[in-house]
Amino acid sequence: MKLKRIIAVFMVLCVIFALTSCSKSDGSNVLFKYALPSDPKNLDPQLATDSSSLMVIENLYEGLIRKAKDGKLENGVAESYSISENGLKIKFNLKKNYYWKGTNDTRFNLTAKDFVFAFRRLVDPNTYSPYAKKYYAIKNAEKINKGELSVDNLCVVAEDDYTLTIELEHPDSEFFSLLAESSSMPCNEQFFYQTKGKYGLETDSIIANGPFFMFKWVYDPYGKDNYLILRKSPDYNTISKVYPSGLNFFVVKDENDRLEGFKKGKYDFIIDDGANKSLFNNDNTVEKYTYKSGGLIFNLKNPIMKNQGVRKALSLAINRKTSKSEFKNGVEAAYGLIPHSVTILNKSFRELSSEPAASLYNVSLAQYMWTSSLTKAEKNLLNSSTIIVPKSCTNTEYLDIYIKQWEDTLDFFCSVEVLDDDEYNNRIKSGNYYMAYCELSAKTNSPEDFLSTFRTGDQNNIYSFSDNNYDSILSSKNTKNNLSECVDIYSKAERYLIENYFYVPMFYNSQYLIYDKKIKGPLYDPFTQQLDFSKLKKF
């Protein structure tokens, strides 16, 4: 009998051990740690813009649509959807097992009304959302945002608790991508008003419908040990498996402290610009994202720079191939405006549209254009000119490579003038410059975010560039509901800027997501710097 009991106990222990091993073998129930570069300013999805806030929001909320690892869009809260023949009305059927979860056991159903309230807040001029203009495709959104209509005229309607309809002003092939962004996350009206103006600002004023919920947020404006604790949402885990047990976000403002902490294993991920070569080793996985571009723009009000021949000569005199060996990790020569990590149709935009040939090196044509386009007096004026560059720019040192090429090829001498960002903006605004280095980045993974910098009246267009033909090319997207047609439009817009030498491509910048090779499954967006932790495993 004793032997049987011993065998029975042994068998039970074996089962327990086996179950424990299975839990470990699938990489689940790991607590991941990440160092934020700053305190989150606001965890309100309709308002947040800083990278630390967006990182946390990514893991707290889920919208109608979400992005998968391969860049494809898939259903989030939406169970299914249908689109009218004209592409202007979208009907979403919502899943019925999504819940709002907060601290103190707060828990209640998410419904279509939570999306109605969120979109109304988004376009309400009293919200001052920086994202409102991106949603002007929704019928009446622009008029509401400009104060011409009340928010209840927004054509986002809850037909019942789990049916939502959105009506558009015009077809928008990228609207579904927009629904996966943080600004499209739902918001519960009753809870929002219960927070009495503190929504998204402290632990008790945050509820989540995503893979994690806010367990604790410690914020001291004068302290050094601020942190946020997120824990796995049991409800969400029944919809889609959440592998980590939770997330600990530590606020570490010093870059060197973040670097050393990662090396010592205190943090599981680090984002690097390629300068720290010691991180590129066999113990780490390194993912490269080419997310930013930079190039030369010209003061077109200046008679010399208005001459296309002068701009063309400067572009053709740049030999980008010979410069490659002189660039550090994270910097490479650019022939286009839209960087390689921008995706559309689940592919890199650069796979679908090659970089414009106008950026190619042609020394004989460059010399001809230079001599035929300039008088001796104009050459003398240019030889005392500078390229103005904002202090925040990352590629100042590499401009000298191209300047040296101009000296050798065109006998043209200029220098780099680094300015504080405010002074740079003032010089641009006043027209007191010949050439300026323009660094382009985007808040979303969209070609249009880069191209809009040159659209007349756009908030990102600090260069006062205005061209009716260019505006017409971009606005033609509003009549398309086919992404393939949009690729053609974006390609045409990019070529227009480069082939007319309004913009001369120079550099692409990359960043690297680096983590232990034992970790699998990160989903990272280099434009928002959001990392989705929900599918992370560690073996």
Side-chain angles (χ1 to χ4, degrees), residues 49-66:
T49 58
D50 62 291
S51 62
S52 293
S53 296
L54 292 172
M55 175 69 83
V56 179
I57 285 171
E58 171 70 14
N59 293 282
L60 289 174
Y61 298 92
E62 180 144 294
L64 294 164
I65 302 294
R66 65 186 174 201

Side-chain angles (χ1 to χ4, degrees), residues 362-421:
N362 190 327
V363 64
S364 58
L365 183 55
Q367 290 172 336
Y368 170 76
M369 296 303 302
W370 189 256
T371 55
S372 63
S373 300
L374 289 166
T375 66
K376 184 177 180 180
E378 288 174 331
K379 288 179 183 176
N380 290 335
L381 276 173
L382 280 180
N383 275 331
S384 62
S385 66
T386 63
I387 301 174
I388 62 171
V389 181
K391 197 172 183 179
S392 59
C393 169
T394 54
N395 293 323
T396 307
E397 59 192 286
Y398 300 112
L399 285 171
D400 291 333
I401 297 172
Y402 293 153
I403 288 174
K404 182 64 168 61
Q405 292 180 359
W406 289 337
E407 292 174 4
D408 296 339
T409 303
L410 305 176
D411 198 29
F412 166 51
F413 298 84
C414 70
S415 59
V416 173
E417 186 179 2
V418 180
L419 305 171
D420 288 334
D421 285 22

Side-chain angles (χ1 to χ4, degrees), residues 6 48 61 64 70 164 175 333 341 392 433 450 489 511:
I6 291 171
Y61 298 92
L64 294 164
D70 55 7
L164 181 78
F175 186 69
S341 287
S392 59
Y433 72 103
F450 286 87
I489 290 169
Q511 59 181 212

Side-chain angles (χ1 to χ4, degrees), residues 51 123 196 394 405 409 436 469 482 487:
S51 62
V123 300
K196 298 180 180 179
T394 54
Q405 292 180 359
T409 303
N469 292 329
N482 183 299
V487 171

